[in-house]
């Protein structure tokens, strides 16, 4: 299993042709306390760069983009009920959605953990 | 990350950096937005104990001289001579069309001496406006460089007393000069009891340390300042009130006494009289979105039939209300609390109910 990162502070963990997506710990720190998460419908097809989720902090709403093309196969209902889960476990329990990859070669354009860490440093 | 390179720096910036503040731009200043506890804890701590806010971006303007009162009488819909010594009043600078240039707190410090507290974003405009009006009056307009701190919350009075400030006899909306160059008023913008204290820059760090010393007060950033004032139903100039809104529509005529309205003579008096005669076209109200999704500034409102029904001017999540809260303008016919309207958010229309302001009761110390 590989975890990759985007310039927009999403992470994507790939397991076969299914990937789990969330926002990075750095992103949740920047956003502050989340109070609302708007999840997509299962079955929705998204293209790389589409706003798939909206996370809302006390102060502002922010889009979370699909890192690659694919179809949403599951959403994390727990974070809809308790948005603070994204703050406490952004890269774990606070995952946002799972998707079936349309084109695994798109993963080549993403960063590994080391590259992402140096980007936010 | 917000680029804060060209922004003005707070005199106490080093203290905020040391406290772990995250900075962002606001009204031309690099301001602490949050500290490590985060907006939610900062907000709740202020309501439960006390918060310390660096509001040095706001401007203190001293107006003094034999015609200081006459100048302010011309500049604001206010009778400065009617203020007792130490009394503060909420007022405005208006355009000739009665639009709100800025909202202000004016305190009478002496027979010929007044302190005007102005918003950061309008400070330069305010000083220029007042200075230009001052021509022909025997009065001086002196913008001051001060470290300005707000201590807010139910523990504010005991913390201030422990820090050596003499707050005896100081009630809500009164202000004094406890030492040369110092200005302290019992006021604030959170709905809680508290103080705003302006001191010369060299006294700033010492004051902040004294107020934080007991560990009861903690630094609070601009993010929580906004959620606190929104729950308290207080207007943010530039958002809820602007030069395009007037005190009649904004529901702020309580700040203008009847004798002042009748006497006129202030900038904007004529237009204000016409607006008053015509009656409010809209009303500023609160909104409680149903559910958990916040409705934010700029959202359009619609009635049940889909007709336009006003705008949201401030909105977010209220940590003490434990729900989303918002403020905005609606036609007077739709302003009754409990009226259901619909706010457009990302293409969806979310039900919101009109709510009286404030969302959280004010707890001012009135003596």
């Amino acid at each position: 299993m590989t975890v990759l990162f985007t310039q927009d502070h999403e992470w994507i963990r790939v397991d076969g042709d299914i990937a789990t997506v969330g926002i990075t710990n750095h992103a949740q720190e920047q956003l502050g306390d989340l109070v609302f998460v708007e999840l997509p419908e299962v079955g929705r097809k998204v293209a790389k760069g589409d706003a798939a989720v909206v996370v809302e902090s006390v102060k502002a709403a922010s889009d979370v983009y699909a890192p690659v093309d694919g179809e949403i196969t599951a959403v994390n209902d727990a974070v809809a009920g308790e948005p603070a889960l994204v703050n406490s476990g952004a890269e774990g329990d606070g995952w946002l959605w799972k998707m079936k990859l349309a084109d695994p070669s798109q993963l080549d354009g993403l960063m590994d953990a080391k590259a992402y860490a140096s980007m936010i440093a | 990350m917000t680029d804060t390179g060209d922004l003005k720096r707070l005199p106490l910036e080093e203290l905020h950096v040391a406290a772990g503040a995250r900075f962002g731009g606001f009204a031309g200043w690099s301001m602490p937005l949050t500290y490590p506890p985060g907006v939610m804890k900062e907000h709740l701590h202020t309501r439960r104990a006390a918060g310390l806010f660096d509001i040095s971006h706001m401007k203190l303007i001293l107006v003094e001289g034999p015609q200081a009162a006459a100048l302010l009488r011309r500049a604001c819909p206010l009778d400065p001579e009617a203020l007792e010594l130490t009394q503060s009043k909420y007022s405005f600078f208006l355009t000739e069309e009665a639009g709100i240039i800025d909202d202000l707190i004016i305190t009478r410090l002496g027979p010929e001496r007044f302190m005007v507290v102005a918003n950061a974003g309008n400070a330069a405009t305010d000083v220029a406006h007042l200075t230009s009006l001052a021509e022909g009056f025997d009065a001086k307009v002196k913008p001051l460089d001060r470290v300005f701190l707000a201590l807010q919350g139910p523990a504010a009075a005991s913390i201030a007393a422990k820090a050596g400030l003499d707050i005896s006899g100081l009630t809500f909306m009164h202000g004094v000069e406890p030492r040369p160059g110092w200005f302290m008023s019992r006021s604030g913008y959170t709905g809680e009891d508290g103080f705003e204290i302006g001191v010369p820059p060299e006294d700033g760090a010492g004051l902040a340390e004294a107020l934080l010393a007991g560990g009861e007060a903690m630094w609070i950033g601009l993010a929580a300042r906004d959620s606190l004032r929104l729950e308290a139903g207080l207007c943010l100039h530039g958002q809820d009130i602007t030069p395009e809104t007037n005190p009649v529509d904004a529901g702020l005529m309580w700040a203008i006494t009847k004798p002042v309205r009748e006497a006129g003579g202030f900038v904007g008096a004529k237009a204000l009289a016409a607006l008053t005669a015509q009656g409010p076209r809209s009303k500023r109200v609160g909104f409680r979105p149903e559910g958990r999704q916040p409705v934010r500034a700029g959202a359009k409102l619609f009635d049940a039939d889909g007709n336009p029904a006003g705008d949201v001017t401030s909105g977010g999540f209220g940590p003490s209300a434990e729900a989303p809260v918002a403020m905005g303008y609606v036609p007077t016919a739709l302003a009754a609390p409990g009226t259901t309207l619909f706010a457009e958010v990302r293409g969806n229309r979310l039900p919101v109910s009109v709510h009286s302001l404030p969302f959280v009761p004010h707890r001012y110390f009135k003596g």
Side-chain angles (χ1 to χ4, degrees):
Chain A
M1 264 200 287
T2 339
V3 183
L4 297 166
F5 298 85
T6 71
Q7 302 261 353
D8 299 314
H9 311 286
E10 291 94 13
W11 57 263
I12 175 166
R13 189 192 312 120
V14 185
D15 187 6
D17 64 348
I18 297 290
T20 307
V21 180
I23 63 169
T24 65
N25 190 53
H26 174 76
Q28 74 76 21
E29 279 178 9
Q30 297 289 320
L31 293 168
D33 297 309
L34 296 185
V35 297
F36 185 78
V37 179
E38 186 178 300
L39 294 169
E41 280 179 25
V42 170
R44 185 180 144 194
K45 286 197 168 66
V46 291
K48 177 179 175 167
D50 285 355
V53 161
V54 180
V55 291
E56 301 217 23
S57 67
V58 173
K59 191 94 178 104
S62 309
D63 290 327
V64 183
Y65 303 106
V68 292
D69 298 353
E71 182 180 328
I72 309 277
T73 58
V75 295
N76 187 0
D77 287 319
V79 301
E82 196 186 342
L85 267 182
V86 181
N87 293 112
S88 60
E91 297 180 24
D93 290 348
W95 63 275
L96 297 175
W97 76 87
K98 292 179 192 286
M99 62 193 293
K100 189 166 192 291
L101 301 180
D103 177 5
S105 76
Q106 287 179 324
L107 297 169
D108 297 343
L110 302 177
M111 286 176 276
D112 63 13
K114 202 175 151 197
Y116 180 71
S118 68
M119 184 186 92
I120 61 172
Chain B
M1 286 267 202
T2 317
D3 181 10
T4 54
D6 294 332
L7 300 170
K8 282 178 271 190
R9 309 265 153 176
L10 294 172
L12 298 184
E13 185 174 81
E14 275 178 35
L15 285 187
H16 302 302
V17 171
R22 182 185 306 286
F23 289 83
F26 176 77
W29 289 79
S30 172
M31 295 295 294
L33 300 182
T34 56
Y35 295 85
V39 55
M40 202 76 90
K41 287 200 177 81
E42 291 171 35
H43 177 118
L44 295 171
H45 188 84
T46 304
R47 294 240 188 270
R48 189 172 51 235
L52 185 62
F53 305 72
D54 191 336
I55 54 170
S56 307
H57 61 312
M58 295 182 69
K59 198 68 184 168
L60 292 166
I61 307 165
L62 189 65
V63 180
E64 60 179 350
Q67 289 190 298
L71 168 58
L72 291 172
R73 178 78 184 74
R74 169 82 184 125
C76 306
L78 171 76
D79 182 3
E81 297 283 10
L83 296 179
E84 296 161 24
L85 292 190
T86 78
Q87 191 183 348
S88 308
K89 198 148 183 343
Y90 178 72
S91 193
F92 318 97
F93 290 150
L94 300 176
T95 64
E96 290 290 358
E97 294 74 39
I100 302 172
I101 296 172
D102 201 4
D103 60 340
L104 317 151
I105 305 265
I106 296 173
T107 304
R108 187 173 206 182
L109 295 169
E112 300 179 353
R113 188 174 167 84
F114 296 85
M115 189 69 83
V116 177
V117 180
N119 282 302
N122 303 321
T125 308
D126 291 341
V127 170
H129 179 69
L130 196 52
T131 305
S132 126
L133 289 175
E135 285 173 30
F137 286 94
D138 187 2
K140 288 207 166 62
V141 175
K142 296 182 182 166
L144 305 177
D145 282 321
R146 292 289 182 268
V147 164
F148 200 27
L149 301 177
L151 178 69
Q152 299 280 296
S158 69
I159 292 168
K162 276 182 227 161
L165 297 166
D166 180 12
I167 58 161
S168 56
L170 194 61
T171 55
F172 180 63
M173 290 302 271
H174 286 78
V176 293
E177 292 175 287
R179 294 175 208 178
W182 284 46
F183 169 70
M184 174 170 74
S185 70
R186 195 151 197 170
S187 61
Y189 227 57
T190 60
E192 299 295 326
D193 183 22
F195 305 86
E196 293 184 341
I197 312 165
V199 302
E202 60 272 22
D203 293 341
L207 175 64
E209 278 157 22
L211 295 172
L212 293 167
E216 282 179 279
M218 65 185 212
W219 282 119
I220 308 295
L222 219 48
R225 185 171 168 79
D226 193 49
S227 54
L228 287 158
R229 71 94 198 161
L230 177 55
E231 282 184 346
L234 301 169
C235 293
L236 177 60
H237 191 275
Q239 242 174 258
D240 305 302
I241 49 177
T242 71
E244 279 71 51
T245 56
N246 62 70
V248 177
D249 291 341
L252 295 172
M253 289 302 284
W254 56 265
I256 307 176
T257 62
K258 208 168 164 221
V260 168
R261 287 184 223 179
E262 285 169 356
F266 53 88
V267 178
K270 225 174 151 183
L272 192 70
L275 289 164
T276 308
Q278 168 192 319
R281 292 164 297 182
S282 58
K283 192 161 184 234
R284 187 173 55 87
V285 296
F287 306 105
R288 274 287 290 268
E290 286 176 22
R292 305 292 291 174
Q293 182 167 358
V295 171
R296 307 203 183 257
K300 299 280 174 210
L301 294 164
F302 298 88
D303 67 14
D305 299 324
N307 303 306
D311 301 276
V312 172
T313 51
S314 279
F317 189 82
S320 302
E322 298 182 317
V325 290
M327 191 195 294
Y329 287 82
V330 295
T332 46
L334 296 172
T339 305
T340 299
L341 298 172
F342 298 85
E344 194 162 272
V345 182
R346 300 191 286 274
N348 296 319
R349 293 197 179 173
L350 307 177
V352 304
S353 61
V354 174
H355 195 279
S356 57
L357 294 171
F359 294 99
V360 173
H362 293 161
R363 297 194 289 178
Y364 301 134
F365 179 75
K366 297 191 173 169

